[in-house]
Every structure is written in C-alpha cells, then in structure tokens.
C-alpha cells in the first residue's frame, strides 16, 4: 500500500525500516510504503492543515516545544504523540485513543495499546 490517511481506527504508526511503516488499527495491521512522518504530514494536509501548523498551534496552547502532540483532525479527536523526535526515522506515533495503559519497570517505559486483535501490542521505549 502506498497511501494512507490516519482515521478513527488508527492506533499506532511504527517504522518497519527506512521507508515503510507498520500501521496498527484496532482490528488489523498492514505495511504502508511511506515513513510514519510522511503519513502524519499527509494526513494533516488531507484534513486541511499542515504538520508544522498543527505543531505550532499545539505548542502555543500547551507550551511544549519538543515532541509536540499533533491534532491531525479535531472533530474525531485524532491526536497523535511522537515517542521520540518526529524527524527520527525510528519515531513511533501513537494515537491518544490508542493508549490502554503505561507502566514503568526497571527504568523502561512500556506502552500497551488498545486492540481488538488477539495478540496484545506492547511498545518499549
């Protein structure tokens, strides 16, 4: 797949390699031939804004300047958080609605994602 817009079922965007992303939705996962950042940028544009505009707006609202959450589309509450620098090819993006729980163990943070899949999803950061 070479095109994808973030939607209400999108849970996480996880880089597979330098050019591909594993998209996790609540009931399926698949690979898109784009970087996670490209998917976020194009989704912001699809919904009538730019990633930069969304980041600036959020930054002014909440005072964050790094790893700013991005409101991709407000009426459906499509809000995504970068786990590291968005410019990093290893940056994972997680939906606000995708969080199930977060826990810390031995200096590591474990993020558990909501899913209707039989396999539990966990992201270590």
């Amino acid at each position: 797949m070479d095109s994808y817009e973030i939607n209400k079922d999108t849970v996480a965007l996880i880089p597979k390699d330098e050019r591909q992303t594993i998209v996790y939705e609540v009931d399926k996962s698949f690979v898109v031939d784009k970087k996670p950042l490209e998917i976020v940028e194009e989704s912001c544009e699809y919904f009538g804004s730019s990633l930069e505009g969304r980041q600036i707006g959020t930054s002014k609202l909440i005072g964050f300047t790094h790893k700013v959450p991005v409101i991709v589309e407000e009426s459906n509450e499509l809000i995504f958080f970068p786990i590291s620098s968005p410019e990093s090819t290893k940056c994972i993006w997680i939906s606000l609605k995708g969080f199930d729980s977060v826990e810390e163990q031995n200096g590591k943070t474990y993020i558990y994602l909501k899913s209707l899949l039989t396999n539990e999803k966990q992201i270590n950061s």
Side-chain angles (χ1 to χ4, degrees):
M1 179 181 284
D2 62 359
S3 180
Y4 181 77
E5 274 86 32
I6 291 171
N7 62 70
K8 64 181 179 51
D9 293 328
T10 310
V11 175
L13 305 172
I14 300 177
K16 179 178 180 190
D17 56 34
E18 296 280 325
R19 292 184 269 178
Q20 292 185 315
T21 300
I22 303 170
V23 174
Y24 285 97
E25 291 189 345
V26 291
D27 60 354
K28 62 186 171 190
S29 64
F30 48 89
V31 175
V32 175
D33 293 327
K34 291 190 180 283
K35 298 174 188 176
L37 184 60
E38 290 175 317
I39 294 172
V40 174
E41 287 173 336
E42 290 174 5
S43 294
C44 287
E45 290 170 3
Y46 176 82
F47 290 112
S49 189
S50 68
L51 174 59
E52 182 181 18
R54 297 291 189 179
Q55 289 171 318
I56 290 168
T58 301
S59 200
K60 287 185 180 198
L61 281 173
I62 62 175
F64 289 4
T65 58
H66 294 81
K67 296 190 275 184
V68 175
V70 173
I71 302 169
V72 175
E73 201 278 324
E74 54 278 336
S75 68
N76 289 305
E77 298 177 355
L78 302 180
I79 302 169
F80 279 74
F81 291 83
I83 297 300
S84 59
S85 169
E87 299 299 322
S88 169
T89 58
K90 296 180 182 181
C91 182
I92 296 169
W93 290 80
I94 300 176
S95 167
L96 175 63
K97 291 184 173 183
F99 282 92
D100 185 41
S101 63
V102 178
E103 83 182 34
E104 187 175 340
Q105 292 180 1
N106 302 322
K108 288 190 174 188
T109 302
Y110 294 88
I111 300 170
Y112 297 91
L113 303 175
K114 292 179 184 174
S115 174
L116 299 178
L117 297 172
T118 54
N119 297 330
E120 183 175 288
K121 291 192 207 76
Q122 170 184 308
I123 296 174
N124 302 322
S125 66

